Structure formats: C-alpha cells, structure tokens
Amino acid sequence: MATTRKSGLKSPPPRLPQEGPSQFLDKLDLWFVGLAQIFKRDARPGLDQGMHMTGAARIEEEKGAQSTRAIPPAVNPEWPHTVGQLLDLLITSGDPRLAEAMRFVQGKLPGEALAEDVNQALPNMISLLKYHATVPELQWREIQGDRDAGRQVVETADLYNRWIHEQLPVGGVRFKTNERHNLLMIYGLAGGLERLAPQELADFFDQFCPCGETHTPEVLRRLRLKLLKVLERGREASNLIENLRARNT
C-alpha cells in the first residue's frame, strides 16, 4: 500500500518584483526615516550593535573615542536620570551624526516619555533583546512564582549595571535575537512601521536594515506582531504591579 509523508520544510518563495517602487516612506514619520538612514549609515561591518562588541574591538574603539564618548560611566555625577537628559547628553556628545539622530527622537517623544526614568527605559531595551520581554513583565511573572523570570530580572540588572559602569565581559555579550532587526523594529513602532503592509515592511528593511540581505515579508510581520504583544504585556504588567503596590500601602 502506498504511503504518504509530510513534506519537509521549504524555503519561502522568492519575492516577486513589484510594478513600481513602494510608497512606504509616505506612511512613516520623518523623524524615524532620518533615524533609520543614520542607523544604516553608521552600522560598521564586522561588529554587532551595542553590547555585542568584543573586548578587543571595544578597546580599539575607545582609543579613538575618548574625547567624544556619548555615554559616561554611571559613577559620573552628570549621569542622566531621565530619557530627556540622556538625549540632551547624546546631542552634545561631539558626534554630529549621533546628535542628528537624537534630535529626531527628541522631537518626537511626548513630555511623559522624556521624563521617564532612564533606569527603567534602558534595562527594558536589554530585556527585550535578550528575552523578548520587558522588565515589568519579568517582575510580574516572578511575583507569580516564576523563578526563571526572577533569574532573568537579575541577569538584566547585572548586564545593565556592567554596561553603564563599562564592565562588560571581555568576550562581549551575545543575544539570541537579531539585534539589528529588533532595534530597528522597536524604534519604528513609534515612527510608523505599524502602518505598513507586510510587503512594504520588507521593502523598508531592504532599504534601511544594515544587514544588507533581502527580507521576507511574513517573517517581519510576525516579528512586528510579537514585539507589539510584548510591549502590551509590559504595559499590563506595569499596571498590575502598581495596583498591587497601592493595595499594600
């Protein structure tokens, strides 16, 4: 008797050529388009973003950047306390390209975002890249008895403290996620990427992502949906924690 087998996994079909150029730029905020251009332009081949830099590369980088370092050690008394103060520091860092990008961001953020405690915003970015979860979500899961979430809270705090005190491991820090895709998507959710159709989203990443590869619409659609859900869970967890604290006071 003939038998049937499930077909194996196949590569996604190739992207079909479009009849004309995508008009996705018309749907994006100008500040984010400017930031995306700088994000791609300043991506250095051979080095991953931010904390993924190896120890040797980081030493070489610091040799030529002592006078224009954008983020000082946390022990510096001028270390910013709010997102607005951090952006002000980056704008005056001495690097005109970085200042240009930060002005775009500063002009977009509402007052409440600028007043946000930087010790919440930056750890959230680390936990998003490392675990695809915000710190409030991890904290709420820990309250519910999830010991793994508690360990992740500690690891996020440790990595954040090592970063701002310039004590990262010599071998660098690796994330399971694609840092470039995740960072560009997270920034873009505030700049209009949520309004793009999947094909337009792929066109955007083809043009602005520093990886230089052709992107698959469905993969990016799923990543966008996943990050939106992560951010929503984070907001819900923050409310739950605040309500719990209010009941206990």
Side-chain angles (χ1 to χ4, degrees):
M1 178 182 293
T3 59
T4 59
R5 292 184 302 171
K6 292 183 178 180
S7 59
L9 295 175
K10 297 181 179 180
S11 299
R15 296 258 302 276
L16 297 175
Q18 299 184 78
E19 296 180 357
S22 172
Q23 300 300 314
F24 65 85
L25 288 177
D26 295 339
K27 300 182 180 180
L28 301 176
D29 295 346
L30 290 177
W31 71 270
F32 173 62
V33 175
L35 178 61
Q37 290 171 338
I38 296 168
F39 184 80
K40 179 179 181 179
R41 184 184 67 199
D42 292 349
R44 293 161 295 174
L47 287 179
D48 288 305
Q49 296 291 325
M51 291 170 292
H52 201 164
M53 187 180 294
T54 63
R58 186 164 169 265
I59 292 172
E60 290 300 314
E61 176 78 5
E62 289 183 353
K63 287 180 181 178
Q66 291 290 341
S67 61
T68 60
R69 179 174 294 156
I71 303 179
V75 293
N76 189 316
E78 296 180 357
W79 174 252
H81 298 287
T82 67
V83 172
Q85 291 173 350
L86 177 62
L87 292 175
D88 287 338
L89 180 64
L90 295 174
I91 288 172
T92 59
S93 67
D95 185 336
R97 297 170 303 175
L98 182 63
E100 180 185 354
M102 293 305 100
R103 286 195 188 94
F104 277 121
V105 175
Q106 193 176 54
K108 173 66 177 179
L109 291 178
E112 58 269 22
L114 293 174
E116 184 177 354
D117 184 354
V118 75
N119 288 308
Q120 292 296 325
L122 296 180
N124 265 335
M125 186 63 71
I126 293 173
S127 66
L128 279 168
L129 291 175
K130 195 167 178 64
Y131 304 115
H132 264 172
T134 62
V135 172
E137 179 184 351
L138 295 176
Q139 291 173 332
W140 180 250
R141 283 162 45 190
E142 180 184 16
I143 292 172
Q144 303 304 303
D146 187 337
R147 295 185 63 83
D148 284 340
R151 173 183 53 80
Q152 292 168 349
V153 169
V154 172
E155 290 177 353
T156 297
D158 179 66
L159 181 54
Y160 171 61
N161 283 323
R162 289 179 181 275
W163 173 46
I164 62 176
H165 287 280
E166 299 183 319
Q167 298 294 321
L168 286 176
V170 174
V173 176
R174 294 185 178 275
F175 297 110
K176 293 182 180 179
T177 62
N178 184 314
E179 298 103 307
R180 290 183 173 93
H181 288 176
N182 278 264
L183 283 172
L184 194 55
M185 188 72 79
I186 291 169
Y187 296 151
L189 290 177
L193 287 188
E194 193 174 353
R195 298 190 286 265
L196 299 188
Q199 180 64 54
E200 294 173 323
L201 196 60
D203 290 341
F204 168 82
F205 270 77
D206 283 352
Q207 182 169 334
F208 291 102
C209 181
C211 74
E213 299 178 357
T214 300
H215 298 81
T216 305
E218 181 59 21
V219 171
L220 292 175
R221 186 193 69 81
R222 290 199 301 264
L223 175 61
R224 178 176 60 185
L225 180 61
K226 183 174 185 177
L227 289 174
L228 284 169
K229 289 181 177 179
V230 165
L231 294 173
E232 179 58 30
R233 291 200 308 267
R235 287 189 287 268
E236 292 174 355
S238 293
N239 293 333
L240 289 169
I241 292 173
E242 295 233 353
N243 291 337
L244 182 62
R245 289 172 178 168
R247 288 198 302 268
N248 292 334
T249 55

